[in-house]
Amino acid sequence: MALPLSKIRDLSFKTSIYGIEERIVLDIGSCYLKCGFSGEARPRHFLPLFLTEEALDDYLGLKKPHEPHWGQECSEICNEKTHESCRGTNPYEYAELYELDMMRKNSRGQTEQERLQILEERLSEYLYDVYFKYLLTDPKQRKVIICESPLAPIALKQAIARVLFDKLQVPSISFTPSHLLALLTTGTATGLVIDCGHLETSVLPIYSSRPLTPFIRTTPRAGKFLSTHLKQLLRDKCPISLADNPTDLRIIPEGMLTAAFLETIKCRLLFASPLIINARDNIGEEEMNNNYRDVSASTEVLVEVWLEEEQARGILAIPGWIRERACECLFNGDEDAESLTDVILDAVAKAPSDLRRPLISSLLLIGGTAQLPNLQNRLLQEIKRSLQMNKRWKHLSGLAESVRFLDDLTPADEAAAAAAAQASSSSLSLGSNVGRSTSTQSMMDVDPTDSPSGADRERERRRKREQQGKKAYQSSGKVFSPNCRGWIGGSLVGSLKSSGPELLRENFNGTVPDWSTSISFVGSQVQGSSMTGSPTQQPMDAVASSSLVASALATSY
């Protein structure tokens, strides 16, 4: 089923605030909220849920912090209730929106009911801002698509539904797995999606647009784990000195190592090393750090910060080996927290044997932590190395040559693309020369019996069209940002008027669908045309339509 060309062209234009056909697409994470309209190639707004620009300026010493405020002054600067219950000792730093263990008491001693109440209040504040401050639209007129993790706490989904239905009066909500939405942006229906976020890394196999949820694997080695490891390295290995007296070295103050400061260092300075150093048995952490220091070629970075006790500017020296090797905690696992490589191969091993090669040859890395430079290339090296050397994955060693990320150009792809470009340029030059030589030939010299018949000409034109339409390589490269792929997939299915099962406001009784609810695109319809035919043909038509829309979104991205 082909999508009308006019429909594809419309995707490159901005959504009108006066239309009500486009759906609201929300991707609510533990640290950031992405929002926008369906049919658009990128989220309109990224809203930090724990980090403000004011906090960042305070931590870097760029703005003097104001005194704690209350009453009318507090209502103008920050929400008083959020200030009391959701923030820590620093008045500018938000706590995370939610945690995976929401059913237990946290470090502040808050019970489950208190945490759910705080969560609902914060969601109300953020979603009110989304509709009335950023998107400027009436929530009662637009349906909502929620990009969710398959293992998100059910209490979080219920809180989101209560806020949207009871306070904002939205007509319906569709909870759709973010892994599936991200895969649809590649134009394929089968793959192994690796979501490396803040709280955890989850690996979900998807075959023919069906999430194989029983085979999902998770590990806590993600953004938060990396921040904890980075905090320890900064405390133990990075001295700080006064800007006026560089020789006066001291330990970095504990109050400076906040989540906001660690997030800044992690986003701006860290990257994954392209070199793999084998961790030998019975080797101490200090000796391993010395090995990292010896082979590192990265430069040291000096960060200017504000020292509160001395009321002066300080210089924090971050060695190059920490910038390069802080991410090693993601690849070195143990029994309590497996490495990224192990959870990926474990998910492949749990899948049926005939699906293993299609899955491992269609890897897709998404999530905020996936934006670390060189993380995908390093992960590819680790997977191939484990398949060839780790005895645990010896039965999968035959798949080592098939490992490939969907958005990576292989050497064969790059060679094919270069050859296609060279052939195109040579054909243009040859065509001009042939045109000049044949123009001098008289029409009287042409034998009518030598001219091809109409059928031959039609066959030749069809062959040329097939060659022009044939893709010279399998991947178009990295088009969409890893942290936006889930949202862009929601925008894609929203433009196709296709999503998961809708939860209507009049039918809401406090419960929401969970991961065990079947997600199917078979019964979905595209505006202006309905899917007819056999059950096996319908999902293929949906995938074909999604690939066309994904191409249009990539063009306008």
Side-chain angles (χ1 to χ4, degrees), residues 449-482:
T449 60
D450 295 338
S451 61
S453 63
D456 294 337
R457 288 195 298 269
E458 180 64 25
R459 192 179 302 109
E460 182 67 18
R461 284 195 294 267
R462 189 182 302 112
R463 184 183 65 82
K464 290 182 179 180
R465 285 197 300 267
E466 291 177 356
Q467 289 181 352
Q468 292 175 356
K470 187 177 180 180
K471 198 172 182 181
Y473 44 91
Q474 300 179 10
S475 174
S476 58
K478 296 178 175 63
V479 179
F480 300 117
S481 178

Side-chain angles (χ1 to χ4, degrees), residues 256-553:
M256 185 180 296
L257 298 176
T258 60
F261 184 78
L262 295 174
E263 185 77 6
T264 304
I265 299 298
K266 184 171 63 176
C267 294
R268 298 185 180 183
L269 299 181
L270 298 189
F271 64 95
S273 174
L275 300 176
I276 299 177
I277 299 180
N278 296 331
R280 301 188 304 273
D281 296 334
N282 300 325
I283 184 174
E285 182 179 357
E286 187 66 26
E287 185 178 352
M288 196 65 192
N289 292 336
N290 293 334
N291 295 338
Y292 290 154
R293 188 183 298 108
D294 294 337
V295 300
S296 176
S298 304
T299 58
E300 183 181 61
V301 175
L302 302 180
V303 180
E304 187 175 353
V305 295
W306 178 259
L307 298 177
E308 189 67 28
E309 296 182 358
E310 291 79 2
Q311 289 295 308
R313 292 185 178 273
I315 301 297
L316 175 63
I318 302 180
W321 70 271
I322 289 184
R323 297 176 53 211
E324 184 178 354
R325 294 295 173 177
C327 300
E328 294 296 319
C329 63
L330 302 178
F331 304 104
N332 300 328
D334 52 31
E335 295 181 356
D336 297 330
E338 290 188 311
S339 65
L340 299 186
T341 309
D342 288 339
V343 293
I344 293 172
L345 295 179
D346 192 20
V348 173
K350 297 297 182 183
S353 58
D354 57 335
L355 300 185
R356 292 173 182 174
R357 193 174 298 275
L359 290 175
I360 205 168
S361 61
S362 303
L363 302 176
L364 181 63
L365 184 61
I366 65 173
T369 308
Q371 295 192 114
L372 285 172
N374 201 56
L375 181 65
Q376 182 166 302
N377 294 334
R378 174 64 186 279
L379 186 57
L380 181 64
Q381 296 179 24
E382 291 284 350
I383 294 175
K384 291 183 176 180
R385 172 176 170 269
S386 296
L387 288 174
Q388 295 171 353
M389 302 180 62
N390 195 335
K391 295 181 179 180
R392 178 182 176 184
W393 310 116
K394 184 178 180 180
H395 62 290
L396 300 177
S397 59
L399 303 175
E401 299 299 327
S402 302
V403 181
R404 176 180 171 270
F405 281 92
L406 284 172
D407 54 357
D408 267 352
L409 290 177
T410 63
D413 294 338
E414 295 177 353
Q422 184 178 2
S424 177
S425 60
S426 61
S427 63
L428 291 176
S429 60
L430 288 175
S432 60
N433 295 332
V434 171
R436 286 194 298 268
S437 62
T438 55
S439 62
T440 60
Q441 185 178 13
S442 173
M443 292 296 296
M444 299 299 295
D445 297 336
V446 179
D447 188 356
T449 60
D450 295 338
S451 61
S453 63
D456 294 337
R457 288 195 298 269
E458 180 64 25
R459 192 179 302 109
E460 182 67 18
R461 284 195 294 267
R462 189 182 302 112
R463 184 183 65 82
K464 290 182 179 180
R465 285 197 300 267
E466 291 177 356
Q467 289 181 352
Q468 292 175 356
K470 187 177 180 180
K471 198 172 182 181
Y473 44 91
Q474 300 179 10
S475 174
S476 58
K478 296 178 175 63
V479 179
F480 300 117
S481 178
N483 64 331
C484 295
R485 277 195 180 269
W487 187 95
I488 295 172
S491 174
L492 189 154
V493 299
S495 64
L496 294 174
K497 303 298 181 290
S498 167
S499 62
E502 287 190 358
L503 181 63
L504 302 179
R505 182 178 64 211
E506 54 269 20
N507 297 335
F508 178 64
N509 57 1
T511 62
V512 295
D514 59 2
W515 64 269
S516 61
T517 304
S518 60
I519 304 296
S520 177
F521 289 88
V522 174
S524 63
Q525 293 184 347
V526 181
Q527 184 182 15
S529 60
S530 61
M531 296 182 184
T532 59
S534 63
T536 57
Q537 182 65 26
Q538 291 176 355
M540 296 304 296
D541 291 341
V543 172
S545 300
S546 65
S547 64
L548 290 175
V549 181
S551 301
L553 291 177

